[in-house]
Amino acid sequence: MAAERKRLRIGLAAYGTGWDQDAWRLPESNNRGLTDPSVISDLAITAERGKLDYLFAGSSLASEPDVLNRVFRWDSAVFAGHAAARTDHVGFLLTYNSSFEHPFHVARQLATLDRFSEGRTAINVVFGIDRQGGPVENFEGYPLPDQESKYRRAAEFTEALYALLHNSWDNDLLLDNKADGILIRPGSWHPIDYEGEFFRVRGPLNVPPPVQRHIPNVHVGTSPESLEYGAKYAQARFSPYFGLEAGKKHYAEHKARVAAAGGDPDAFLILPGVTFYLGGTVQEARAKYRQILNYQREVELPLVLAQSLGITADRFAADVPLAVALGAEGIDPDRLVALLDNGDVAAEDPTVNGYPTQPSRQRRHSNVDVVRDVLAALGDDEHLTVRDFFAAMQKRQAGQGRYVGDAIGFADWLEEHLEEEVLDGVQLFPPYHRGPADFFVDHVVPELQRRGIFRTEYESTRLEDNLGLS
């Protein structure tokens, strides 16, 4: 009998206008999700129809009214409670910032939601304080950690949180002895008496314990301190997408980091983010992607890149073909990487969920896999312009992967990356609402199921079981 194939874990992101900052301008996009809860909660129903693992609605404490996909961020606990009432199996990943939040308050919300949803919650602990949108300025006078101490605070927050969640009460707490007048079993509750540099928490928690044996912790971040936190306290990682070859190296390195911290590297999940642009054919997908690229208000060719390519600003404005700009050697990914490395073509270093990553040229451009990805997304070398190429490089969102093509091709991409040990699953970011999420569920999921690398039914009502973490 053949060994059972490893299976993908798939999460779906829910943002008011989708993830692409230009795709909201498409005639078919639905942008009411900024203010209408039903648009976003409908995504939970779509995710469950596709047997996806969880829905992620990244919350934020920053105020960014001028950033399209961050104008509004629903409170993730309230959103998840609403959507959980409309679903039965899909999980919900909630974001909390340990630099601003208190573990007792968060434990109350998580345990309550886990009970009401019958075991479908997970937490994404973040600790940024210097984010765009000035979250610190929304908490004037509130005691906050600095850049160095925020990691120690995050560790304490997590330790106190999980002690409250899982050590406060025994599961057989309800005695319900009416004859003797004893409702709660004596000795079934326990103070946690947590005391640290930042938090002092007596406990026990004043809501029943979670349904899950351990509420999953999904980590994000790329600093050494953040990676250390994730290896020690998390069960999954939102990872940047580094390309196929670099991704294999990152995968192995982080699994080794988990093992060194005493965890199980085989159970730990690596989940890079992927924005996907799909169509019935590759040509349809590329046409839609180029349509979205054309909505970019302004694309400036950095002077140093123009000089490297040997063209002037007016030639760039005239949409000179990339093949012409590169001359007789033509469009070669390795040569493009070298040219891009000669100039910083990104206006700022990329981020992952708001966290600074490694420098732009190392992450976004000094990777031949990334350049090949961009060229494959655009296609049609003969008509590809310098503007098209640079616009696509600029659109590369927050260190994420990107796929442009048809359903079979995306299934191929996912299968290859799973088998090559680049990832254990993906966090999907639909570029707009509602078509992309439905297309993935209706066309990609059946193909993954046919190949035996994705479930046909949920294994459990508990998220930890469906993620293979129990």
Side-chain angles (χ1 to χ4, degrees), residues 197-433:
E197 177 184 0
F198 301 95
F199 300 108
R200 292 174 177 83
V201 185
R202 183 193 64 186
L205 192 62
N206 62 352
V207 299
V211 172
Q212 296 182 94
R213 290 171 289 275
H214 185 89
I215 290 181
N217 182 351
V218 182
H219 157 255
V220 63
T222 58
S223 69
E225 298 88 350
S226 182
L227 291 171
E228 181 181 349
Y229 167 90
K232 183 176 181 180
Y233 295 108
Q235 293 75 53
R237 165 168 165 72
F238 277 163
S239 168
Y241 176 70
F242 298 96
L244 187 64
E245 294 304 319
K248 287 192 285 187
K249 179 181 178 182
H250 167 79
Y251 182 96
E253 287 176 347
H254 198 70
K255 295 277 187 170
R257 192 178 288 115
V258 170
D264 181 356
D266 293 330
F268 192 95
L269 303 175
I270 305 291
L271 308 168
V274 181
T275 307
F276 56 102
Y277 305 79
L278 302 177
T281 65
V282 173
Q283 290 73 22
E284 286 179 10
R286 286 175 174 168
K288 181 61 64 178
Y289 182 62
R290 286 203 180 191
Q291 182 181 358
I292 294 170
L293 285 181
N294 288 334
Y295 286 129
Q296 291 190 46
R297 295 183 182 180
E298 182 177 344
V299 179
E300 295 181 0
L301 182 67
L303 178 60
V304 66
L305 180 58
Q307 291 172 341
S308 297
L309 293 174
I311 62 178
T312 61
D314 61 325
R315 291 185 69 197
F316 174 70
D319 282 342
V320 60
L322 184 60
V324 173
L326 293 175
E329 296 180 44
I331 300 176
D332 175 67
D334 293 286
R335 184 171 179 235
L336 280 170
V337 168
L339 290 172
L340 292 165
D341 276 348
N342 287 331
D344 186 356
V345 304
E348 57 188 27
D349 285 342
T351 61
V352 180
N353 278 18
Y355 287 89
T357 64
Q358 59 198 66
S360 305
R361 284 176 289 173
Q362 294 177 16
R363 266 291 312 284
R364 291 177 97 176
H365 304 300
S366 299
N367 186 327
V368 71
D369 288 329
V370 170
V371 173
R372 287 196 179 103
D373 167 64
V374 168
L375 293 175
L378 292 167
D380 193 5
D381 286 356
E382 181 180 353
H383 298 100
L384 175 62
T385 67
V386 174
R387 183 191 186 283
D388 291 334
F389 175 73
F390 183 68
M393 293 297 289
Q394 290 290 81
K395 183 168 284 296
R396 186 169 170 76
Q397 292 274 10
Q400 290 182 6
R402 167 186 46 204
Y403 185 82
V404 180
D406 60 13
I408 298 297
F410 196 23
D412 290 341
W413 188 95
L414 291 167
E415 183 176 27
E416 179 183 23
H417 283 68
L418 180 68
E419 291 183 344
E420 292 292 330
E421 295 191 335
V422 176
L423 51 78
D424 298 302
V426 288
Q427 168 68 53
L428 296 174
F429 286 80
Y432 61 94
H433 296 321

Side-chain angles (χ1 to χ4, degrees), residues 46-95:
T46 299
E48 182 157 283
R49 181 166 60 83
K51 315 300 181 187
L52 306 190
D53 289 278
Y54 62 84
L55 200 72
F56 172 61
S59 190
S60 173
L61 300 176
S63 299
E64 300 180 83
D66 56 347
V67 181
L68 291 176
N69 62 356
R70 296 200 293 271
V71 175
F72 299 125
R73 291 286 188 93
W74 298 108
D75 182 286
S76 55
V78 177
F79 158 68
H82 171 70
R86 303 183 64 192
T87 53
D88 297 309
H89 290 89
V90 70
F92 298 93
L93 179 58
L94 284 64
T95 298

Side-chain angles (χ1 to χ4, degrees), residues 410-464:
F410 196 23
D412 290 341
W413 188 95
L414 291 167
E415 183 176 27
E416 179 183 23
H417 283 68
L418 180 68
E419 291 183 344
E420 292 292 330
E421 295 191 335
V422 176
L423 51 78
D424 298 302
V426 288
Q427 168 68 53
L428 296 174
F429 286 80
Y432 61 94
H433 296 321
R434 280 275 316 272
D438 289 295
F439 190 98
F440 181 85
V441 165
D442 292 336
H443 299 282
V444 181
V445 166
E447 181 60 25
L448 297 175
Q449 292 170 333
R450 186 189 68 79
R451 300 180 190 202
I453 58 174
F454 192 63
R455 68 171 62 89
T456 55
E457 294 294 339
Y458 284 104
E459 296 84 0
S460 171
T461 57
R462 299 182 180 186
L463 179 56
E464 61 178 347

